Amino acid sequence: FLTSYTPYQPEIAQGTLQYLYEFQTQVANLTGMPVANASLYDGSTAMAEGVLMATRVTRRNKAVISGGVHPHYVRATETVVHAVGVETEALPAAVDAEADVIARIGPDTACVVVQTPNIFGTATDVTKIAEAAHAAGALLIVVVTEAVSMGLLKSPGEMGADIVAAEGQSIGNALNFGGPYVGLFATREKLIRQMPGRLTGETVDADGERGFVLTLSTREQHIRRDKATSNICTNSGLCTLAFTIHMSLLGETGLRKLALLNHEKAVATRDALAAIPGVEILTPRFFNEFAVRLPKNAAEVVDTLASHHILAGVPYSRLAPDAGLDDVLLVAATETTLDTDITLLAKALGKVLAA
């Protein structure tokens, strides 16, 4: 990819355009969708763009959001869509109730938004939700905050998603103290003209050789602002390139092995914590994250363990202070988690809770 130049001049940007094309192919395969764009800022803004896209497609003005969607994603989406008059109904936080959105679908519903695995780690087959949404003329948006999970779980496309908004950070990109990240966005082919962001297509040059160009450009930089699908740009291109290289090195087999390793470590962590008196495992089905209920305030427990150089997880109250779930702790385990880490966490947590 030696021609890393802005893709507006394809004559001197074939390197950039080629890796964006490969990125789109990888994201489409990962999500089980026919088409993907060249990325967005991050998962939360991808969700917001998905809601706006659904309102354009259906000509309706309301989004129903499940109680399992990450609270920060909900807040970011509300900030974006409320500014243009789109109504949202966010259901109360719930560990395993993605299907509750079905009862909230009405004639004014443009889309329902669900997340799997959700903020509590619960993995859900959303096929029935897709059927209910489609029967009412609404779209289904599936949010995925952990891209590696799609290497093991049924893809959103297989379950009937119309739009997939995901965070790709865990593939090839560091946490970077909160960013920049890489938003993944995929949809059905019939909806492609309403998809936000850049789209790279394959063509031939003057000599008949394979080449790449931007196509179907509908951002406000390219056409009249009132006719544009979005004013959003792609993410930092370096993040997309890192994602593409990492995925290319992993391959399909490597991604599945990576996903299995994540799940195995999470199961081992779950088993270790479940053996601690007073700890209740809340998440029934999970990939690499799960929620537990503690007999003490979760934030205080996390602070105590942090003072002993142990990062126990994220208290749910940090994400949603008013949810009334101050005793809930979110725990994650990845391929980098060692067996000694799990033992150390369980032993230290047991001591803190017994004190």
Side-chain angles (χ1 to χ4, degrees):
F1 308 126
L2 297 179
T3 53
S4 294
Y5 188 72
T6 181
Y8 295 121
Q9 294 178 261
E11 303 89 343
I12 56 173
Q14 284 301 294
T16 295
L17 287 162
Q18 182 183 349
Y19 83 69
L20 290 177
Y21 185 83
E22 300 297 345
F23 169 84
Q24 291 172 183
T25 304
Q26 291 171 345
V27 174
N29 289 338
L30 192 63
T31 58
M33 302 296 283
V35 62
N37 73 9
S39 81
L40 297 174
Y41 295 131
D42 60 13
S44 64
T45 47
M47 173 177 157
E49 287 290 339
V51 171
L52 291 177
M53 176 177 163
T55 63
R56 293 192 298 272
V57 170
T58 64
R59 300 184 184 278
R60 298 177 181 180
N61 206 46
K62 182 180 178 181
V64 177
I65 304 172
S66 89
V69 177
H70 194 303
H72 291 178
Y73 278 47
V74 177
R75 299 289 89 77
T77 296
E78 288 174 342
T79 298
V80 173
V81 306
H82 288 179
V84 291
V86 175
E87 181 185 351
T88 58
E89 180 184 358
L91 275 58
V95 173
D96 186 19
E98 297 303 298
D100 283 2
V101 295
I102 294 176
R104 307 305 302 169
I105 299 173
D108 59 344
T109 303
C111 60
V112 292
V113 185
V114 297
Q115 180 179 320
T116 180
N118 70 16
I119 185 60
F120 299 99
T122 306
T124 304
D125 187 332
V126 299
T127 303
K128 297 294 185 184
I129 303 174
E131 292 171 355
H134 297 156
L139 302 186
L140 174 65
I141 299 176
V142 174
V143 173
V144 182
T145 56
E146 175 49 82
V148 175
S149 69
M150 290 184 280
L152 187 61
L153 303 178
K154 187 184 291 187
S155 72
E158 289 180 84
M159 296 185 286
D162 298 292
I163 298 171
V164 180
E167 175 56 64
Q169 173 274 317
S170 61
I171 298 179
N173 287 273
L175 286 171
N176 297 326
F177 298 96
Y181 290 163
V182 50
L184 314 181
F185 194 98
T187 190
R188 302 248 170 241
E189 191 166 0
K190 66 180 181 181
L191 306 179
I192 190 170
R193 289 188 176 275
Q194 290 296 337
M195 184 170 65
R198 290 174 176 157
L199 185 66
T200 302
E202 182 180 346
T203 186
V204 293
D205 63 16
D207 298 321
E209 299 292 329
R210 185 186 191 216
F212 305 93
V213 294
L214 291 184
T215 186
L216 296 177
S217 298
T218 57
R219 292 190 300 143
E220 54 88 17
Q221 285 180 306
H222 303 121
I223 64 176
R224 292 200 309 273
R225 181 168 298 182
D226 61 324
K227 298 293 184 181
T229 57
S230 172
N231 66 356
I232 200 166
C233 292
T234 184
N235 80 308
S236 300
L238 182 63
C239 301
T240 312
L241 178 57
F243 178 102
T244 306
I245 292 172
H246 195 154
M247 279 291 289
S248 299
L249 292 172
L250 279 174
E252 185 175 350
T253 301
L255 178 65
R256 180 166 291 275
K257 287 182 178 179
L258 176 63
L260 279 169
L261 185 56
N262 271 255
H263 182 59
E264 288 170 0
K265 293 295 185 180
V267 169
T269 306
R270 186 272 314 271
D271 292 346
L273 298 189
I276 301 172
V279 174
E280 178 189 358
I281 306 298
L282 298 179
T283 308
R285 308 167 303 280
F286 59 86
F287 171 60
N288 70 352
E289 297 178 282
F290 57 90
V292 299
R293 175 167 281 123
L294 305 179
K296 294 185 177 182
N297 181 285
E300 294 175 1
V301 170
V302 167
D303 289 344
T304 301
L305 289 172
S307 68
H308 293 87
H309 308 290
I310 297 172
L311 299 180
V314 178
Y316 187 78
S317 59
R318 175 181 166 188
L319 306 178
D322 302 324
L325 297 172
D326 294 352
D327 57 351
V328 173
L329 178 67
L330 307 179
V331 180
T334 71
E335 74 279 5
T336 65
T337 302
L338 304 176
D339 291 342
T340 51
D341 297 331
I342 298 171
T343 301
L344 184 63
L345 171 61
K347 186 179 295 185
L349 180 59
K351 285 183 179 180
V352 171
L353 295 181

